[in-house]
Amino acid sequence: MAYLGIPKNTIEVLQKYNFNFQKRFGQNFLIDTHVLEKIIREAHITKDDVVLEIGPGIGTMTQYLCESASKVFAVEIDNTLIPILNDTLSEYDNVTIINEDILKVNINKLVEEECGNRPIKVVANLPYYITTPIIMSLFENDVNIDNITVMIQKEVAERIVSKPGTKDYGALTLAVNFYSTPEIVANVPPNCFMPRPNVSSAVIRMTKDVEPKVKVADKELLFKLIKASFLQRRKTLVNGIGNFKELNITKDRVAEALKEMGLDENIRGERLSLSEFGELSDLLSEK
Ligand code: SAM
């Protein structure tokens, strides 16, 4: 078996197929066996698991996934990679390659058909240009997931795990934390990829919460409040929400709710924790 985590083997495959990297698909292939082993370990994959891999590339991580999981679904948008994947993964009978845009795949249907009620694990070295839409669509579509362990831009990973009151804290932090408990499990420098990306990367594991950390009466309202609060982060919450067209909430109502929560009426959204946003949402939905 020619493992593609070894740079020499990756180069051989790329040359054999005369492969041209497509920047528009965010193609940076992993060429570091230690990083690959670390991702598999941190995703807590066992022989019972069904894994969804987003963007297998030439199959570098897929080889590891096939060896550690029971079944692997690998969704790749670039059709020029499909014959390569059929070649590099030919020794495995537990992988299904799907040539599709991940944002167009009905993952719920796939999970239902293949796993019954068992949750899947999602593993990927994500294309960085669509990191947020991919993560959010998995959560928002309520896919039955155990955890999502993905390589993303380091800066985005830091935003996801940031704390209230810091410059990185924002709508993405709150959205991911609403559904899961995130943890950065590895930092990965550009030289672990071919070609080298211009940014540093990190592996983040988002373990889906079985019981939501925050329960709200109106989830849509909560997410609109979060959006309104971070559109212009230097604004106070009262102004941010009061001026937000998608909501019909007066500044007075926001000020009153903040007072009820014992918070300063000049407070900015970046100071509020997820549970405080939840409390604010419930107070405003009652009124
Ligand atoms: N997993 C491989 C590795 O680690 O070497 C490749 C990772 S590369 C960063 C991202 C992969 O995602 C590429 O193969 C790219 O073609 C694929 N991709 C990009 N956009 C996609 C989409 N919307 N749906 C599915 N795959 C996509």
Side-chain angles (χ1 to χ4, degrees):
M1 163 58 60
Y3 286 108
L4 301 162
I6 297 161
K8 175 173 98 37
N9 294 341
T10 282
I11 292 166
E12 245 174 59
V13 169
L14 296 176
Q15 284 176 347
K16 178 176 168 189
Y17 287 91
N18 206 4
F19 179 75
N20 287 317
F21 286 98
Q22 301 261 8
K23 223 176 170 175
R24 71 190 161 116
F25 289 145
Q27 292 176 340
N28 301 95
F29 299 163
L30 266 168
I31 44 159
D32 187 302
T33 52
H34 297 293
V35 174
L36 287 154
E37 283 158 15
K38 176 92 176 155
I39 296 173
I40 302 294
R41 226 176 18 251
E42 292 293 350
H44 301 157
I45 294 174
T46 70
K47 278 281 177 204
D48 291 332
D49 283 323
V50 176
V51 175
L52 168 67
E53 187 190 8
I54 300 162
I58 57 171
T60 312
M61 190 145 64
T62 329
Q63 293 180 326
Y64 284 80
L65 292 170
C66 289
E67 288 183 10
S68 35
S70 127
K71 180 119 197 57
V72 181
F73 290 91
V75 180
E76 174 57 60
I77 197 169
D78 183 354
N79 57 354
T80 67
L81 285 167
I82 306 304
I84 306 183
L85 286 165
N86 284 329
D87 180 2
T88 59
L89 303 174
S90 62
E91 282 182 33
Y92 302 105
D93 59 6
N94 58 343
V95 60
T96 305
I97 299 158
I98 302 167
N99 184 198
E100 186 51 283
D101 177 347
I102 187 66
L103 295 176
K104 294 188 182 145
V105 176
N106 185 340
I107 303 169
N108 277 319
K109 192 163 157 243
L110 189 78
V111 175
E112 251 168 53
E113 284 170 4
E114 299 295 331
C115 325
N117 288 327
R118 283 222 341 268
I120 56 156
K121 287 182 174 146
V122 178
V123 181
N125 168 16
L126 283 180
Y128 294 173
Y129 74 107
I130 44 167
T131 299
T132 306
I134 291 177
I135 294 174
M136 289 320 297
S137 82
L138 289 167
F139 285 136
E140 283 164 2
N141 292 322
D142 207 16
V143 179
N144 192 6
I145 292 172
D146 183 341
N147 69 49
I148 303 176
T149 307
V150 284
M151 177 90 69
I152 60 178
Q153 204 176 318
K154 187 169 179 229
E155 200 186 289
V156 180
E158 282 168 354
R159 271 165 48 203
I160 291 176
V161 300
S162 65
K163 299 288 172 231
T166 62
K167 72 167 176 29
D168 287 341
Y169 187 71
L172 180 65
T173 322
L174 287 155
V176 171
N177 280 271
F178 179 78
Y179 295 104
S180 72
T181 302
E183 188 187 342
I184 294 179
V185 293
N187 285 311
V188 183
N191 63 1
C192 296
F193 302 86
M194 184 186 293
R196 291 183 187 197
N198 298 326
V199 292
S200 286
S201 306
V203 179
I204 190 165
R205 180 181 59 230
M206 293 162 277
T207 308
K208 195 153 176 217
D209 297 325
V210 180
E211 272 299 306
K213 285 192 273 297
V214 170
K215 287 186 181 146
V216 285
D218 183 347
K219 191 172 117 186
E220 204 182 316
L221 173 62
L222 170 69
F223 275 79
K224 279 190 182 163
L225 290 173
I226 291 171
K227 188 173 164 194
S229 311
F230 289 97
L231 271 181
Q232 288 165 293
R233 52 187 304 141
R234 304 308 299 164
K235 274 198 175 169
T236 64
L237 257 185
V238 168
N239 283 330
I241 297 172
N243 292 332
F244 190 60
K245 295 278 181 292
E246 285 174 47
L247 289 166
N248 190 15
I249 302 175
T250 63
K251 292 181 186 177
D252 284 349
R253 269 176 71 198
V254 185
E256 201 183 307
L258 287 175
K259 201 168 152 204
E260 239 176 290
M261 290 170 66
L263 295 173
D264 190 308
E265 73 171 82
N266 292 318
I267 200 164
R268 294 197 187 108
E270 64 192 17
R271 293 268 154 206
L272 262 64
S273 66
L274 174 62
S275 59
E276 285 171 325
F277 266 107
E279 200 182 335
L280 179 66
S281 170
D282 278 352
L283 281 171
L284 292 172
S285 76
E286 276 167 20
K287 291 183 182 176

